[in-house]
Amino acid sequence: GQNIDQPTEMTATEGAIVQINCTYQTSGFNGLFWYQQHAGEAPTFLSYNVLDGLEEKGRFSSFLSRSKGYSYLLLKELQMKDSASYLCAVRLINTGTASKLTFGTGTRLQVTL
Amino acid sequence: DGGITQSPKYLFRKEGQNVTLSCEQNLNHDAMYWYRQDPGQGLRLIYYSQIVNDFQKGDIAEGYSVSREKKESFPLTVTSAQKNPTAFYLCASSEDSSGYNEQYFGPGTRLTVT
């Protein structure tokens, strides 16, 4: 079966750095996505990793270790607007051509003053 | 502006009634997806479609049905057989279903069944 684990909640201070971890046990792994979702809104794409290593995009970075089944999302210079849920999603290879995503439960980040 | 629209944003129905949620995209994407989101749970895949006139069951398809008669449209019907229909429903699309393609999400429909 597929299993994706993320912490349920995290709190961090404005201006600080926070790391949100995601571990997964899946078969047919073919990449990992991070999405941001503000309450009651649609998820928006943040990053995609398929090879080991760090991908940096402005204040956000994402890291992947395929051998360890582990990823993290790093948010720097936190702003109040970064208060949201962060969803880790694993892309699976199917027998057909479809590319399905399996989502973790999400990590709710609260940024405080 | 290209994007995905879902309507309505809030929907209320009585138990025992079927209800259809709309999803339209003008991104020219081949693949479309339906998810439901419940508090404390991740997004769960209901159905997905790789191409017009084709669709596949996701992880929780029981009590739902879909159609894909046009590339732009992928409506979801929540039938009376769905035991716990109250949820936040999200539609998504991606360029195609192979290779790296992020999924773009619509704004969602919050369905309440009483």
Side-chain angles (χ1 to χ4, degrees):
Chain A
Q2 324 294 343
N3 193 43
I4 300 173
D5 288 312
Q6 307 178 235
T8 304
E9 292 186 1
M10 298 182 72
T11 302
T13 306
E14 190 179 33
I17 298 173
V18 70
Q19 177 174 312
I20 301 174
N21 296 326
C22 172
T23 59
Y24 62 89
Q25 299 92 38
T26 64
S27 56
F29 176 86
N30 194 26
L32 187 144
F33 289 82
W34 283 96
Y35 282 85
Q36 180 191 61
Q37 185 180 26
H38 286 97
E41 297 184 10
T44 55
F45 169 76
L46 290 177
S47 69
Y48 173 69
N49 295 70
V50 66
L51 300 176
D52 286 358
L54 187 68
E55 296 277 344
E56 298 187 75
K57 196 184 290 186
R59 292 190 300 115
F60 291 12
S61 304
S62 57
F63 171 83
L64 176 67
S65 168
R66 294 178 67 142
S67 61
K68 294 181 179 175
Y70 168 67
S71 174
Y72 67 72
L73 180 69
L74 195 70
L75 290 74
K76 302 176 188 174
E77 301 167 18
L78 279 174
Q79 302 175 9
M80 298 299 289
K81 67 178 182 180
D82 296 331
S83 293
S85 288
Y86 292 86
L87 314 180
C88 171
V90 171
R91 181 166 170 267
L92 307 174
I93 300 173
N94 283 8
T95 53
T97 57
S99 176
K100 293 169 59 178
L101 292 183
T102 298
F103 283 82
T105 55
T107 299
R108 189 161 52 247
L109 174 66
Q110 182 71 41
V111 180
T112 60
L113 292 171
Chain B
D1 271 291
I4 303 178
T5 57
Q6 292 184 244
S7 60
K9 192 166 177 64
Y10 298 95
L11 191 54
F12 298 88
R13 279 294 182 272
K14 294 288 187 187
E15 201 173 305
Q17 293 178 335
N18 291 356
V19 59
T20 297
L21 282 58
S22 81
C23 176
E24 304 278 330
Q25 53 98 0
N26 60 4
L27 300 166
N28 200 34
H29 285 174
D30 284 324
M32 297 187 74
Y33 312 81
W34 272 106
Y35 296 90
R36 72 175 274 168
Q37 188 173 36
D38 297 281
Q41 297 198 43
L43 275 67
R44 291 183 291 167
L45 183 65
I46 303 172
Y47 267 98
Y48 62 99
S49 168
Q50 303 171 61
I51 200 166
V52 175
N53 292 323
D54 177 74
F55 49 83
Q56 312 290 332
K57 291 182 179 180
D59 301 317
I60 54 165
E62 186 175 345
Y64 299 98
S65 65
V66 293
S67 62
R68 186 88 187 276
E69 296 174 4
K70 298 187 298 181
K71 187 175 186 177
E72 305 79 27
S73 178
F74 191 41
L76 173 75
T77 297
V78 184
T79 74
S80 56
Q82 168 49 233
K83 292 183 173 30
N84 296 297
T86 294
F88 187 47
Y89 289 88
L90 286 160
C91 177
S93 71
S94 62
E95 243 180 77
D96 60 49
S97 53
S98 59
Y100 155 56
N101 287 295
E102 71 196 75
Q103 292 184 14
Y104 293 80
F105 286 84
T109 292
R110 192 167 295 279
L111 173 66
T112 302
V113 176
T114 57

